[in-house]
């Protein structure tokens, strides 16, 4: 099935389809592509954005780290993010939070002093899927690594919780979870993790003004994610899937909305992966991030053969995507 490849390529395909539509409103997108949204990769190679670039940075860090512990992973992630920030290819409308945090990370200070503590922008969420796809991790390693890679740039608890949920969605789908059961599994994780602060991974990040205990810090993140998942459930139950998906579940510029709208675009038609990508790309909000997460979910479930085979040679960074997938599939 090659589900890891399916998910990694699905992420990149969604990113490429959403790249031209990220800053377009829904009416303009429909006027250009029709109500079905963009369904063809364009350009050779078909360019992706910072979403795929940073997901590769996370994935390659997981491969390069001597072990998946906070002490071993943090310096490798930091180096990969700094290399991304300095790369001449970092010209794809990168998020300001990532750029500011990387500038601070570059002087070697503890990451908790470099992160944008108030930011829950989707920039940590869009790059986390390799944490879900790497085989053989314990629950604490997967959850901790998902939150740590988020925390390096986005210190808000909702960014941490949404990243963990995104990683687990990919992990469960890759391992055969029925998409019909995905929302319930994610909501269950919100409830079970609500007061678990992973201090080994996060250190003193929780010490923010007005926060009395680490458990209070992280609970806010899980609560906001649960509310976003509730909106997905209501939107799917309402059954009207026409028009801009962001009207149902949010524009996706923030972490829990990127997760929610990507899940919504995916769960409307989990067996039609190209339609899933096109739905995410034809959105008024953060189209590349929504489409890339939706594509990562669809590909994790359906495998590489679900995508048009010609796209594999057309997508930018195909060699790096293939290398990660070959190790983990
Ligand atoms: Mg982007």
């Amino acid at each position: 099935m090659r589900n890891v490849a399916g998910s990694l390529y699905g992420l990149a395909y969604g990113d490429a389809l959403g790249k031209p539509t990220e800053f377009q409103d829904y009416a303009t997108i429909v006027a250009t592509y029709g109500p079905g949204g963009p369904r063809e990769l364009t350009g050779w190679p078909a360019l992706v954005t910072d979403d795929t670039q940073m997901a590769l940075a996370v994935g390659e860090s997981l491969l390069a780290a001597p072990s998946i512990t906070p002490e071993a992973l943090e310096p490798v992630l930091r180096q990969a993010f700094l290399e991304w920030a300095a790369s001449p290819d970092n010209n794809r409308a990168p998020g300001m939070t990532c750029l500011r945090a990387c500038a601070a990370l570059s002087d070697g200070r503890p990451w908790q002093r470099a992160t944008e503590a108030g930011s829950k922008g989707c920039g940590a969420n869009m790059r986390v899927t390799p944490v879900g796809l790497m085989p053989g991790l314990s629950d604490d390693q997967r959850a901790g690594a998902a939150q740590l890679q988020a925390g390096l740039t986005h210190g808000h608890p909702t960014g941490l919780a949404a990243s963990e949920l995104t990683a687990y969605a990919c992990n469960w789908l890759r391992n055969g979870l029925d998409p019909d059961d995905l929302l319930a599994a994610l909501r269950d994780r919100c409830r079970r993790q609500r007061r678990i602060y992973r201090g080994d991974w996060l250190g003193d990040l929780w010490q923010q003004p007005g926060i009395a205990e680490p458990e209070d810090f992280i609970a806010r993140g899980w609560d906001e994610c649960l509310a976003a998942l509730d909106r997905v459930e209501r939107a799917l139950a309402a059954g009207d899937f026409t028009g801009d998906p962001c009207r149902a579940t949010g524009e996706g510029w923030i972490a829990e909305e990127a997760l929610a709208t990507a899940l919504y675009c995916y769960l409307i038609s989990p067996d039609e992966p190209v339609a899933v990508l096109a739905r995410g790309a034809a959105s008024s909000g953060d189209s590349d991030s929504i489409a890339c997460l939706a594509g990562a979910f669809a590909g994790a479930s359906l495998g590489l053969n679900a995508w048009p085979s010609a796209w594999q040679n057309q997508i930018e960074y195909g060699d790096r995507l293939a290398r990660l997938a070959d190790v983990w599939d």
Side-chain angles (χ1 to χ4, degrees), residues 203-217:
D204 65 357
L205 180 66
W206 69 273
Q207 291 185 356
Q208 306 289 339
I211 303 289
E213 292 180 34
E215 290 79 9
D216 297 338
F217 169 83

Side-chain angles (χ1 to χ4, degrees), residues 24-48:
Q24 292 180 348
D25 61 34
Y26 185 71
T28 305
I29 296 167
V30 169
T32 307
Y33 300 99
R39 290 171 183 243
E40 297 292 338
L41 292 189
T42 55
W44 198 279
L47 297 181
V48 296

Side-chain angles (χ1 to χ4, degrees), residues 31-106:
T32 307
Y33 300 99
R39 290 171 183 243
E40 297 292 338
L41 292 189
T42 55
W44 198 279
L47 297 181
V48 296
T49 82
D50 54 329
D51 301 42
T52 302
Q53 292 174 341
M54 294 204 80
L56 284 166
V58 170
E60 289 164 356
S61 296
L62 294 169
L63 269 192
S67 62
I68 306 302
T69 62
E71 297 75 22
L73 184 57
E74 188 275 335
V76 182
L77 272 175
R78 180 191 296 246
Q79 184 61 30
F81 287 178
L82 293 181
E83 285 172 11
W84 164 80
S87 162
D89 292 330
N90 176 20
N91 57 0
R92 315 290 171 84
M96 285 307 299
T97 297
C98 285
L99 295 180
R100 279 195 297 262
C102 283
L105 285 167
S106 69

Side-chain angles (χ1 to χ4, degrees), residues 15 22 49-51 92-93 126 288-289:
D15 195 14
E22 178 179 5
T49 82
D50 54 329
D51 301 42
R92 315 290 171 84
M126 72 196 190
D288 56 340
S289 298

